[in-house]
């Protein structure tokens, strides 16, 4: 486990996102919208309202898939921004005590100085396990480098 600590840290700011998952969500969202739009146009017995409802349904599904593709973690010189599905939280490095990605976890969890844990859905091992592990190790090294959990309480 000492090898990741000796690896050079990336230049800040750096953004961690589940790239493959986002690509799949974008692709599926655009494809289903296209299919529903084509169906709305090609079915001969549909009225105007029914056609609009097909396209509207496709847009709603696309919106949900884009929301699922939103998570990211941005590490900056002064702290970390965690963007999950519907929330965004700014943290100073001193607030992040530990970065955890255990076997079977759906995403990284940040242990915070106030005793809580914050899910960071921007790093998730779903379909890119090795990349998520590298990203979690990099975020952990950045947190340790910026003096998070090793500082005495004041």
């Amino acid at each position: 486990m000492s090898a990741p600590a000796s690896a050079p840290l990336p230049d800040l700011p750096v953004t961690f996102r589940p790239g493959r998952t986002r690509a799949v969500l974008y692709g599926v969202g655009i494809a289903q919208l296209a299919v529903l739009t084509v169906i709305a146009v090609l079915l001969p017995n549909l009225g105007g309202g029914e056609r609009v409802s097909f396209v509207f349904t496709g847009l709603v599904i696309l919106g949900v898939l884009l929301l699922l593709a939103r998570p990211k973690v941005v590490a900056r010189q002064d702290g970390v921004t965690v963007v999950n599905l519907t929330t965004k939280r700014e943290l100073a490095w001193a607030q992040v005590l530990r970065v955890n990605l255990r076997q079977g976890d759906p995403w990284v969890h940040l242990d915070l100085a106030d005793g809580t844990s914050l899910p960071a859905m921007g790093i998730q091992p779903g379909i890119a396990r090795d990349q998520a592990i590298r990203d979690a190790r990099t975020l952990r090294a950045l947190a340790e480098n910026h003096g998070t959990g090793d500082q005495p309480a004041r």
Side-chain angles (χ1 to χ4, degrees):
M1 200 77 156
S2 60
S6 64
L9 294 177
D11 292 331
L12 297 178
V14 62
T15 301
F16 303 102
R17 293 178 186 249
R20 289 182 190 166
T21 301
R22 289 184 58 178
V24 169
L25 290 169
Y26 282 15
V28 168
I30 292 168
Q32 66 78 31
L33 177 60
V35 167
L36 287 175
T37 302
V38 167
I39 290 172
V41 170
L42 293 181
L43 285 178
N45 296 332
L46 292 182
E50 292 168 321
R51 293 179 197 279
V52 169
S53 70
F54 266 83
V55 175
F56 179 74
T57 300
L59 289 171
V60 168
I61 293 170
L62 176 63
V64 169
L65 293 175
L66 292 178
L67 185 67
L68 292 172
R70 183 175 183 249
K72 66 181 177 180
V73 176
V74 181
R76 301 174 323 282
Q77 198 65 35
D78 59 339
V80 180
T81 302
V82 177
V83 179
N84 288 329
L85 296 179
T86 59
T87 60
K88 177 179 177 181
R89 185 148 175 209
E90 305 273 343
L91 301 166
W93 285 113
Q95 291 177 273
V96 181
L97 299 180
R98 174 180 247 171
V99 177
N100 295 311
L101 179 60
R102 294 181 211 80
Q103 179 107 14
D105 281 351
W107 42 71
V108 163
H109 291 273
L110 305 178
D111 291 341
L112 304 180
D114 65 2
T116 62
S117 178
L118 176 68
M121 297 172 73
I123 302 174
Q124 48 184 268
I127 59 176
R129 181 178 176 272
D130 293 338
Q131 182 64 45
I133 290 170
R134 281 192 301 275
D135 290 349
R137 286 180 175 159
T138 300
L139 185 59
R140 180 181 300 138
L142 286 168
E144 290 171 357
N145 186 56
H146 286 83
T148 56
D150 300 330
Q151 303 294 327
R154 294 180 188 169

